[in-house]
Amino acid sequence: MVPSLLFEIMLIGLLGIGSQWVAWRYRMPAIVVMSITGLLAGPVLGIMNPEEDFGNLYSPIISVAVAIILFEGSLNLNFKELRGLGKPVFRISTVGAFIAWILGSLTAHYIAGLSWAVAFVIGGLFIVTGPTVIMPLLRQSKLKARPAKILKWEGIIVDPIGALLAVFAFEIITFLTATNPDINQLLLFFAASIFAAIFGWACGKGIGWMFETGHIPEFLKSPAVVIVVILCFTVADEIVHETGLLSVTAMGITLANMGISSISDMRHFKENISILLISTIFIMLTASLQLETLLQIFSPNIIGYVLLMMFAVRPLSIFLSTIGTSLSFNEKALVGWIAPRGIVALTVSGYFAGVLTEQGYEDAHILTTLTFGLVFFTVVAHGFSIGWLSKKLHLSMEGKPGALIIGANRFTVELAKSLSKANFPVIIVDSSWERLRPVREAGINFYHGNILSEQTEYNLDTIPFEYLLAATDDHAFNSLVCTTFMPEYGRTNVFKISPFDQLSKEATVVSRVGGRILFDKKFTMEDLLDKLDNHYVFRQTTLTSQYNYKQYLADKDDSTVFLYLIKPSGQLKFYSEEMRTVPAVGDRIVSLTPPNKEKAKIQAKLDNQRNGQNKEN
């Protein structure tokens, strides 16, 4: 029984999001899982073939999805990120792209056996990496800021450049092989490219102005942006094919650098759409491949071409283009290896395979096979190797999971000192310079600014921190912070100090808003500070076979605050009523416990003496 189109749409979405979940659950590269899932559903098992089933709608759906994905990526390209990286990014996006085009074209001709015309078209296209494959890898690998920013900028900027290079090569070939060459065709291409960039800039400025002046209500902002992106892409693409990608990139960069206050809300919305589109489009593209295409991938000339592109063309283009820049050898090596191809390469090569075949270039029929071979091998190789290689080159932020603490007070200072003593990265963020004084005196890393401000987003590197703890005395602000950062950190890693007090013990709905309750809901910030005033101390206990968790709990009274535990592997777990981890032998538990009675008496006496001296003064 052939499934209905409605059933197929449901299945594509289910397989796409399911692949993302499997990749997250088992720490695998998402694009690898999606590619394999699409191949199984399409050419291997024959459950569906979206290209045939969707008919004339297939290409427009793919094109619009690519435009939105590319726009979402370019919405993150703020020029402030380029401090110290402008030269490497510019070199890689221009000189590096040109070197990769020439070397890739030579490889396609001499190794893959393509004619010069087809080789130069596909050589231009294959310089692309793109946000569809780079962004998931960056989320997975936790690279240091410099190489991560370079790969992100290159992927988004070079995406439209690669498509335009392929169109440019095609126009040159058409001009040179025509019986009556018309120079106007070339001029039209250049004029259309310039128009696309200007039109994208104008769309970005226009929608940005309407946002700032209040001409678009808050609830219509994100839908309006989606429609304008489709408009921007379609108008430019109707004039000359593939210039729409340049147009939406220009629009995204323009909006990203206008300093619009609501841009972060749009960014979250667009990122959610982008993840959904990447998931479904990868399934559609791979499920539409033919079984013969998969078998052709393993021919010697295609495998040789793919290997040379990965191990020679890419590293050479990066090393040559970055001569004289500030990049270290390790950074060049990592960037020179990571270049997975994605959706843009697959969609645009399919277009040129048809156009070039119509022009009489019979060898163009293997372009789809060649493209998928490069896409699949690079996605698998780079997806599984980026984490390992970044660690080997000391370019990974991996290590002990850190904590980003919002709010400076006596308790957060002591908690940060305890985490630092256990060698966990920690930083305290607060907008008050006065409240940060004890943080500075304790030698703890800090950031002076509002965690929700756009300036903080640009200047504060949050990559080393796996957990976010909202611990100010403003419960509403804590919930807002948790809600804002939940998409980035995940619900299980975002905590807030209990908002409950003696008058609101039954207000359980509060616990469901904006993050999990940290420690225990009966301990508010006031309670924690009172305990410190009463000389409670941070104490670490290691569980053994002779002293297990039950015995440990039996020794503690109700006033003890269980803070966090450290697994033997170095994993950090904060206590919460929703914590599922059961402490076991070898775990170290850190708690805020009552002081030793004799020590408490001495300390109280000293405090009384100190208070008496202060009164006399």
Side-chain angles (χ1 to χ4, degrees):
M1 177 181 176
V2 179
S4 67
L5 192 59
L6 178 61
F7 179 85
E8 188 167 328
I9 292 172
M10 178 278 298
L11 185 60
I12 290 170
L14 187 64
L15 291 176
I17 298 302
S19 298
Q20 290 271 12
W21 182 86
V22 169
W24 166 79
R25 179 67 179 79
Y26 297 101
R27 294 183 177 273
M28 298 172 65
I31 43 184
V32 175
V33 180
M34 289 186 288
S35 299
I36 294 173
T37 303
L39 291 176
L40 290 174
V44 176
L45 300 177
I47 297 174
M48 60 180 173
N49 187 331
E51 187 173 10
E52 290 182 1
D53 300 336
F54 280 79
N56 293 333
L57 288 175
Y58 179 78
S59 291
I61 289 173
I62 299 291
S63 297
V64 169
V66 171
I68 294 174
I69 292 166
L70 193 57
F71 170 77
E72 189 274 327
S74 61
L75 203 60
N76 295 304
L77 298 184
N78 191 287
F79 290 127
K80 292 179 181 178
E81 285 190 355
L82 285 179
R83 292 170 183 166
L85 293 176
K87 189 175 181 180
V89 169
F90 177 77
R91 289 273 201 88
I92 291 171
S93 303
T94 53
V95 178
F98 180 77
I99 294 172
W101 178 29
I102 300 302
L103 294 179
S105 301
L106 293 173
T107 306
H109 176 70
Y110 288 110
I111 304 300
L114 298 178
S115 62
W116 281 113
V118 178
F120 269 93
V121 171
I122 207 66
L125 176 60
F126 284 166
I127 70 170
V128 304
T129 52
T132 60
V133 282
I134 285 295
M135 294 304 186
L137 288 188
L138 294 182
R139 276 193 290 267
Q140 158 204 336
S141 60
K142 290 189 177 180
L143 286 182
K144 287 186 177 179
R146 277 170 59 94
K149 288 176 182 178
I150 289 171
L151 287 170
K152 181 178 75 172
W153 274 84
E154 181 206 7
I156 295 168
I157 291 176
V158 174
D159 231 25
I161 291 177
L164 288 174
L165 268 180
V167 177
F168 172 68
F170 176 71
E171 294 292 343
I172 290 291
I173 291 164
T174 304
F175 174 76
L176 295 177
T177 58
T179 308
N180 298 309
D182 185 4
I183 191 68
N184 291 327
Q185 285 297 112
L186 280 180
L187 295 177
L188 173 63
F189 167 74
F190 288 115
S193 300
I194 295 171
F195 168 78
I198 295 174
F199 184 62
W201 171 83
C203 287
K205 281 290 185 183
I207 196 76
W209 175 80
M210 294 182 76
F211 283 176
E212 289 181 315
T213 53
H215 284 83
I216 297 179
E218 200 67 34
F219 74 97
L220 277 181
K221 284 184 176 180
S222 293
V225 169
V226 173
I227 295 303
V228 174
V229 168
I230 297 173
L231 165 74
C232 183
F233 171 79
T234 305
V235 170
D237 213 60
E238 286 293 310
I239 298 173
V240 171
H241 200 62
E242 304 307 335
T243 57
L245 298 178
L246 176 64
S247 194
V248 295
T249 303
M251 177 182 169
I253 293 175
T254 301
L255 270 174
N257 289 276
M258 286 183 67
I260 301 172
S261 57
S262 58
I263 196 73
S264 58
D265 296 332
M266 282 191 295
R267 194 176 287 125
H268 288 314
F269 173 75
K270 303 293 283 182
E271 185 178 9
N272 292 336
I273 289 184
S274 180
I275 290 173
L276 177 62
L277 291 176
I278 289 173
S279 305
T280 54
I281 297 308
F282 249 97
I283 298 294
M284 289 177 65
L285 287 171
T286 51
S288 299
L289 293 170
Q290 301 298 319
L291 195 58
E292 302 78 48
T293 301
L294 298 181
L295 297 176
Q296 286 177 348
I297 289 174
F298 299 99
S299 60
N301 61 330
I302 291 182
I303 291 179
Y305 171 77
V306 170
L307 291 177
L308 276 175
M309 289 290 289
M310 292 171 62
F311 291 97
V313 173
R314 170 67 177 183
L316 275 174
S317 65
I318 295 299
F319 273 91
L320 292 175
S321 64
T322 54
I323 293 174
T325 65
S326 60
L327 295 187
S328 66
F329 176 84
N330 286 0
E331 288 171 330
K332 292 178 183 179
L334 181 70
V335 175
W337 168 244
I338 302 300
R341 275 64 168 190
I343 289 176
V344 171
L346 279 173
T347 54
V348 179
S349 70
Y351 164 75
F352 280 113
V355 172
L356 288 167
T357 303
E358 290 176 4
Q359 293 283 334
Y361 298 98
E362 295 182 2
D363 54 333
H365 74 279
I366 72 163
L367 286 187
T368 303
T369 303
L370 196 68
T371 305
F372 184 75
L374 186 63
V375 168
F376 187 76
F377 282 117
T378 55
V379 160
V380 171
H382 300 152
F384 280 108
S385 66
I386 186 170
W388 172 84
L389 184 62
S390 61
K391 290 178 184 177
K392 288 292 182 183
L393 297 175
H394 307 293
L395 296 174
S396 172
M397 297 302 298
E398 286 283 6
K400 290 192 172 183
L404 176 65
I405 302 176
I406 313 302
N409 52 61
R410 189 180 171 195
F411 172 75
T412 57
V413 169
E414 294 300 322
L415 178 62
K417 286 163 67 174
S418 170
L419 289 166
S420 296
K421 187 181 292 186
N423 295 320
F424 288 106
V426 64
I427 189 170
I428 295 180
V429 179
D430 201 294
S431 58
S432 168
W433 188 252
E434 179 60 29
R435 285 196 297 266
L436 284 170
R437 184 173 64 176
V439 181
R440 300 194 303 272
E441 291 173 350
I444 299 167
N445 288 332
F446 68 91
Y447 178 84
H448 178 221
N450 189 325
I451 188 64
L452 297 178
S453 76
E454 193 172 357
Q455 194 69 25
T456 300
E457 182 181 347
Y458 295 138
N459 294 331
L460 178 63
D461 181 16
T462 60
I463 292 176
F465 310 109
E466 190 169 318
Y467 298 100
L468 182 142
L469 315 179
T472 72
D473 55 6
D474 187 334
H475 301 317
F477 182 75
N478 291 341
S479 294
L480 181 60
V481 169
C482 291
T483 303
T484 301
F485 285 90
M486 203 176 290
E488 181 177 342
Y489 284 84
R491 187 177 184 277
T492 57
N493 290 358
V494 174
F495 300 88
K496 64 181 178 184
I497 291 292
S498 174
F500 295 91
D501 54 37
Q502 295 301 318
L503 299 177
S504 60
K505 291 290 184 182
E506 302 302 321
T508 55
V509 68
V510 179
S511 67
R512 302 296 180 186
V513 181
R516 299 195 291 170
I517 301 298
L518 192 60
F519 314 138
D520 191 308
K521 69 179 182 180
K522 68 183 179 182
F523 296 124
T524 64
M525 179 56 72
E526 185 178 352
D527 295 326
L528 296 171
L529 294 174
D530 283 344
K531 290 181 185 300
L532 291 178
D533 289 338
N534 290 318
H535 313 297
Y536 276 55
V537 295
F538 282 74
R539 185 169 284 127
Q540 179 175 293
T541 306
T542 302
L543 299 181
T544 65
S545 55
Q546 290 78 28
Y547 188 68
N548 59 31
Y549 190 50
K550 286 185 178 180
Q551 293 171 311
Y552 173 79
L553 291 178
D555 289 343
K556 302 299 178 185
D557 59 33
D558 290 341
S559 67
T560 298
V561 184
F562 301 110
L563 303 174
Y564 60 89
L565 65 86
I566 305 170
K567 306 293 287 183
S569 62
Q571 187 179 14
L572 175 67
K573 291 281 186 180
F574 283 97
Y575 266 85
S576 170
E577 291 185 353
E578 300 176 45
M579 188 180 78
R580 298 175 183 174
T581 302
V582 178
V585 173
D587 292 351
R588 290 175 288 162
I589 300 176
V590 177
S591 59
L592 186 60
T593 60
N596 178 282
K597 291 184 178 180
E598 291 302 320
K599 288 184 178 179
K601 288 179 181 179
I602 296 171
Q603 186 63 50
K605 187 175 181 180
L606 290 173
D607 287 346
N608 290 332
Q609 291 175 352
R610 191 181 301 113
N611 291 334
Q613 289 175 356
N614 290 338
K615 287 179 181 179
E616 290 176 6
N617 294 332

